[in-house]
Amino acid sequence: MGRMVAWEYALLVRRYQGQGRNFTVSFVWYGPDGSRKDITAYGDTAIAHLNRAGREGWELVSAAEDVNNVQGSTEVHRYHLKRPLN
């Protein structure tokens, strides 16, 4: 029987909050070790962040979106990633 692959997982969260012309976009990285890091300064689009993660060996496995337009506008996008453990 072949060697089984072990994975580690991470989460990238994009949060858009705004009303009219006033809005903010932030990105937070939740690492496999339980760490939480604001990575907004590394790029202004989800694609920029996903490409950076891809260069580090991460693969996108799922994406989800929550939208709440009751009080202004809030969007939360969650990108679940995995990579093999070394």
Side-chain angles (χ1 to χ4, degrees), residues 2-58:
R3 183 176 161 248
M4 190 170 75
V5 176
W7 302 97
E8 64 180 344
Y9 297 90
L11 174 65
L12 171 65
V13 176
R14 174 194 177 270
R15 183 178 301 275
Y16 169 93
Q17 292 180 291
Q19 192 165 8
R21 293 183 180 181
N22 300 316
F23 67 91
T24 60
V25 177
S26 63
F27 292 88
V28 176
W29 178 262
Y30 295 87
D33 60 355
S35 62
R36 179 182 186 271
K37 182 177 181 182
D38 182 343
I39 59 169
T40 305
Y42 296 156
D44 60 356
T45 66
I47 293 297
H49 290 284
L50 291 170
N51 281 329
R52 186 178 59 80
R55 288 188 296 275
E56 296 174 5
W58 293 99

